Amino acid sequence: MMSNSQAAHNNTERTITMKLNLKDYGLSERYEQEATLYEDLSLARVTEQHRDACRVVCEAGEISASVSGKFAHKAHDRTEFPAVGDWVMIDGTEEDTDNAIIHQVLRRKSELSRQSAGTGVSGQVIAANIDTVFICMSLNADFNLRRLERYLALVWDSMATPVIVLTKSDLCDDLPQKLDEIETVSIGVEVIVCSSNTEDGYKDIAAQVSKRETIALIGSSGVGKSTLINRLAGEDVMAAQRTRQDDKGRHTTTHRQLLSLPCGGIVIDTPGMRELQMLGGNISKTFEDIEEIATGCKFRDCSHDSETGCAIKKAIASGTLSCERFASYQKLQREVRYSSLTSRQIENEKFIGWFGSKNEIKQFKRHLKKR
């Protein structure tokens, strides 16, 4: 007959074996060390994000969580709230509860953010603590170089590594031409072509997923993100729907979520984005070719408009640089500059753009008064 001490020992062993290994969810030594600063709190990673709550995974398993009142009061804006991929410090992880309280978000090593959809100026964190971002774009009606430039600017700014994944190659009749177009905007970025019908490219994608590293998938609705995750997982863990007859994708993912893959990697799926407004962006990295050309301009502060000796105008005239790419460069520059300004500051910036300087604006106002 088993003694009470032996039974207690066995129960303890069973409890220990039931604990999850958070390293399977990307836990690194850095976060283990930072977590020691918060006594009486447990480490967890955010796996799902909803409007008012989220799900986290801790050693006890996956549970619901919400931020403390103190945390919400101290936060300056929504970007400081927990996002999918964040490492957080929680309490309330006892076996008799399924709701934890988040008291602290640990420092992010990377952050993929955009400006919130609509007319507001607040930011929105799409995913945190990611190593690689798969920018998914289908080779049918979704193909759009200007949108791809936006995604690249956001990803380079996040401190993660972008990989372009071109899906539905079986629906593309001019693949060589599209690859040539992609080459003009994907400087320094790996490009993978795949098809769910022919299995092409999936081995190359799987090779990008390293053990205990986190990847995120971004792209429009219906480009095949869910199908791609199912292939990486080896089973149908995500709902996927066929493309509609009008060649536009169906929206399937409704919220951001993090999954652990059999290969040991971690993947974050995101809903398709109807709007992709810039909160920040690494324009220099995304448009290295344009900034390299601009170094040849006669004047260091060349506006590439009417100045003599403008290398940009020369490159456009010779066909080395397309008008569309340069216009995209200028547009994204303005968006990034405006993203941190108030509405009044934006109006001032527009006036300066029209008149050249604040002094010229003052002169114009004086001229109007005289009239």
Side-chain angles (χ1 to χ4, degrees), residues 59-318:
E59 287 186 340
E62 191 171 18
I63 56 177
S64 299
S66 56
V67 299
S68 68
K70 182 179 179 180
F71 182 101
H73 179 73
K74 290 175 62 178
H76 293 92
D77 55 51
R78 295 298 302 180
T79 61
E80 295 185 11
F81 277 70
V84 172
D86 267 326
W87 287 100
V88 295
M89 302 306 301
I90 63 173
D91 64 16
T93 59
E94 295 83 2
E95 294 181 3
D96 60 344
T97 182
D98 188 41
N99 188 66
I101 304 299
I102 298 173
H103 294 273
Q104 182 69 37
V105 175
L106 301 188
R107 291 175 301 139
R108 295 164 177 156
K109 73 172 183 179
S110 60
E111 176 186 316
L112 184 63
S113 303
R114 66 166 180 173
Q115 188 170 311
S116 297
T119 58
V121 294
S122 60
Q124 180 184 48
V125 180
I126 301 168
N129 300 316
I130 42 182
D131 299 287
T132 304
V133 177
F134 289 169
I135 303 173
C136 301
M137 184 171 72
S138 65
L139 288 160
N140 53 6
D142 180 67
F143 189 83
N144 188 313
L145 293 179
R146 305 289 79 87
R147 189 193 312 119
L148 179 58
E149 288 168 338
R150 285 177 173 270
Y151 278 123
L152 286 170
L154 288 177
V155 176
W156 282 126
D157 190 57
S158 75
M159 302 303 292
T161 301
V163 173
I164 298 171
V165 177
L166 302 175
T167 64
K168 305 184 181 182
S169 61
D170 53 294
L171 302 178
C172 181
D173 297 327
D174 56 348
L175 181 59
Q177 178 182 336
K178 280 189 165 58
L179 289 178
D180 287 343
E181 293 175 16
I182 288 288
E183 189 176 355
T184 65
V185 303
S186 60
I187 301 167
V189 181
E190 184 167 355
V191 179
I192 301 175
V193 179
C194 65
S195 166
S196 60
N197 290 343
T198 63
E199 305 294 324
D200 291 342
Y202 284 102
K203 288 184 178 179
D204 294 330
I205 291 172
Q208 295 286 333
V209 185
S210 301
K211 189 174 182 179
R212 295 177 178 171
E213 289 193 353
T214 302
I215 62 170
L217 277 68
I218 60 175
S220 303
S221 299
V223 297
K225 299 191 298 293
S226 297
T227 300
L228 176 54
I229 291 176
N230 289 339
R231 295 298 174 92
L232 292 173
E235 58 179 320
D236 291 343
V237 295
M238 304 293 293
Q241 298 182 29
R242 293 184 178 277
T243 303
R244 298 188 323 214
Q245 291 183 353
D246 61 5
D247 205 25
K248 294 181 180 179
R250 293 180 183 272
H251 178 73
T252 53
T253 302
T254 58
H255 58 273
R256 301 173 186 85
Q257 61 186 112
L258 177 149
L259 299 168
S260 179
L261 298 173
C263 66
I266 302 97
V267 62
I268 296 176
D269 187 25
T270 65
M273 296 179 229
R274 295 181 182 87
E275 295 183 57
L276 190 61
Q277 300 179 28
M278 307 294 285
L279 179 65
N282 192 332
I283 305 301
S284 296
K285 182 68 175 179
T286 307
F287 295 91
E288 282 185 351
D289 55 331
I290 292 180
E291 302 217 337
E292 177 63 27
I293 293 171
T295 60
C297 289
K298 182 177 180 180
F299 302 105
R300 183 175 297 179
D301 59 347
C302 182
S303 65
H304 317 302
D305 184 17
S306 57
E307 295 92 339
T308 58
C310 176
I312 293 292
K313 292 197 310 183
K314 184 178 179 180
I316 292 174
S318 66

